[in-house]
Amino acid sequence: MNRPASHITLGMTASLTGRYSGPGRQARVGVLAWIDDTNRAGGIRVRDRSSVRLPVRLICYDDAGQGERCQTLTERLIVDDRVDILLGPYASGLTRRAAAVAENYERVLWNHGGSTDAVYRAGYTWVVGILTSASRYFHGVIDAVAEAYPALQRVTILHGTTGAFPRDVAVGAVQYCRERGVETVQSIAYPPDTDDFTPLLQPLQADPPDVLLGVGRIEDDLRLAAQLADMNLPLKTIGLIVTPLQQFRMTLGESANGFAGPSQWEPDVVTSPGYGPLTAEVMRSFKRYASEALDIDYPMAQAYAGCLVVQRCIEVAGSLSQAALRRVAGELDVTTFYGHYRIDSHTGQQLGHVMPVIQWQEGAKVMVWPPAMRQQRLLLWGA
């Protein structure tokens, strides 16, 4: 006879050390904050498990940002720990590793940290995406510039070659520019050991595009931003993936002003969610766990939001059956503090979530796109 369940166990790997340790630790805090809030509210009732609410607990292993380690630990969570809910890691490359394991064991992977389109092109059926996909990251930036500068005709994209994420972002940006009728679109790849971007940037001094977009590893984007700030190229807008992170402002100081970029989440995105707590309540929960050394950025929020989606799916399904949860996840249409959730029921790719565009203006981060979320208008460089 099976003993009644005493907990709902979540499992995840997170980069608590290594190259992704910043966002990895943020993601873990996001999950812990949700667990704390859920348990304070009495847990989650699972109709086919118990007549009482079950508390939630977390098993988390440090994947150290290493693909093979992430893969091994994900299998350990499934086989040895027998977790009820499997959360993905942070970073697209690690998510691809975890997704392959989850697919093999027919376990839902709740993907809150990997936005590469490659996960969904692989044909997996057990991944549930929380994030806007990488190919759509720069769409809002391009739209915002086109509104502020209707003469937009030239866009240059610099992208790294480490992993699928920067390539997906760049390819998606090129395609979208062409769909919008941008006359000249240039995509330039740079190797992972690039420390000096000057050889790539100097030709733009004499023949500048209207917009320069950049996507690479966090450290790549920060170096690129610093060199762009020093060169003062005659551009209309610079958009970088790293821009929304507080680390960007801390690194560049006042030079951060004018830089724009897409964000998976900002605190003022949704004021009246249809499900779950208000942003102010979530922020209070984050602050219980976050320290002065740990910023509150979108990796923390998207992990919490992923858990909210899990919670809603459990409530609707009335079960922890993986098949039932995956079916409900494909049908769910809900808005949380993080934004709209609605996936492609077959691929699991996120369709509903809209990424705001932020820009640093006078030392503050403000949303400039889309119009429904706008706090300030996009400021063009030199305007």
Side-chain angles (χ1 to χ4, degrees):
M1 181 175 178
N2 293 330
R3 297 177 62 185
S6 59
H7 289 82
I8 298 172
T9 303
L10 277 66
M12 70 183 295
T13 77
S15 299
L16 306 181
T17 58
R19 58 181 296 192
Y20 302 120
S21 60
R25 288 184 295 121
Q26 283 197 34
R28 178 176 175 272
V29 164
V31 175
L32 290 174
W34 171 80
I35 288 175
D36 191 24
D37 290 345
T38 301
N39 288 341
R40 285 169 182 256
I44 303 175
R45 179 174 287 109
V46 186
R47 289 196 305 270
D48 69 358
R49 281 279 192 103
S50 173
S51 59
V52 298
R53 290 179 177 270
L54 297 177
V56 185
R57 64 178 180 177
L58 174 67
I59 298 175
C60 179
Y61 296 123
D62 179 11
D63 59 41
Q66 300 171 7
E68 289 188 8
R69 180 174 174 82
C70 175
Q71 188 169 328
T72 299
L73 292 174
T74 299
E75 187 167 29
R76 177 177 171 182
L77 288 167
I78 296 171
V79 176
D80 297 339
D81 299 316
R82 301 177 67 182
V83 298
D84 299 301
I85 300 296
L86 181 65
L87 302 175
Y90 180 87
S92 289
L94 300 181
T95 299
R96 294 176 70 182
R97 295 289 192 124
V101 177
E103 190 73 14
N104 184 52
Y105 286 96
E106 298 186 343
R107 300 297 300 267
V108 180
L109 182 74
W110 303 89
N111 175 22
H112 62 85
S115 58
T116 178
D117 296 67
V119 170
Y120 306 101
R121 290 195 300 264
Y124 299 141
T125 58
W126 292 93
V127 178
V128 171
I130 306 300
L131 313 179
T132 299
S133 294
S135 60
R136 292 161 49 202
Y137 263 52
F138 275 135
H139 288 198
V141 176
I142 296 164
D143 288 338
V145 178
E147 181 195 56
Y149 184 68
L152 172 65
Q153 284 300 318
R154 303 185 63 192
V155 175
T156 294
I157 305 157
L158 300 181
H159 69 90
T161 54
T162 302
F165 173 74
R167 291 193 294 270
D168 286 344
V169 172
V171 169
V174 169
Q175 181 178 341
Y176 193 62
C177 283
R178 289 173 177 161
E179 290 174 1
R180 286 200 58 113
V182 176
E183 187 176 278
T184 304
V185 186
Q186 183 183 29
S187 183
I188 302 172
Y190 60 83
D193 57 350
T194 300
D195 291 322
D196 184 8
F197 290 92
T198 304
L200 298 177
L201 298 177
Q202 279 183 335
L204 305 182
Q205 187 80 54
D207 188 24
D210 299 318
V211 178
L212 178 65
L213 305 175
V215 51
R217 298 174 299 182
I218 290 176
E219 57 268 33
D220 297 332
D221 281 5
L222 290 173
R223 281 195 297 269
L224 174 60
Q227 292 174 38
L228 283 167
D230 288 340
M231 291 186 71
N232 195 26
L233 293 173
L235 306 167
K236 300 301 181 184
T237 300
I238 299 175
L240 303 177
I241 296 299
V242 74
T243 302
L245 296 179
Q246 295 294 333
Q247 183 182 358
F248 184 81
R249 175 71 170 83
M250 292 168 55
T251 301
L252 268 73
E254 291 185 2
S255 296
N257 289 328
F259 283 90
S263 176
Q264 287 284 357
W265 171 81
E266 294 297 325
D268 296 322
V269 165
V270 177
T271 56
S272 300
Y275 179 78
L278 300 172
T279 298
E281 297 169 329
V282 175
M283 291 293 285
R284 285 196 292 271
S285 299
F286 288 164
K287 290 174 182 177
R288 287 201 299 269
Y289 281 91
S291 66
E292 292 182 2
L294 192 61
D295 297 323
I296 297 175
D297 284 315
Y298 59 78
M300 198 178 292
Q302 60 203 32
Y304 191 110
C307 291
L308 278 179
V309 172
V310 170
Q311 181 177 357
R312 185 57 182 154
C313 288
I314 293 173
E315 291 170 349
V316 174
S319 172
L320 293 174
S321 158
Q322 297 298 298
L325 291 174
R326 178 62 181 85
R327 176 184 55 77
V328 171
E331 299 170 350
L332 191 65
D333 191 333
V334 69
T335 299
T336 71
F337 81 100
Y338 181 76
H340 188 193
Y341 166 92
R342 179 175 59 84
I343 64 172
D344 182 299
S345 60
H346 300 291
T347 67
Q349 190 165 19
Q350 181 59 223
L351 301 177
H353 187 253
V354 175
M355 294 180 69
V357 177
I358 69 91
Q359 185 179 41
W360 289 97
Q361 298 182 7
E362 299 182 354
K365 184 170 56 169
V366 296
M367 288 189 292
V368 297
W369 194 265
M373 300 178 186
R374 180 156 51 201
Q375 297 166 315
Q376 299 288 341
R377 290 189 175 273
L378 178 74
L379 299 180
L380 299 177
W381 283 69

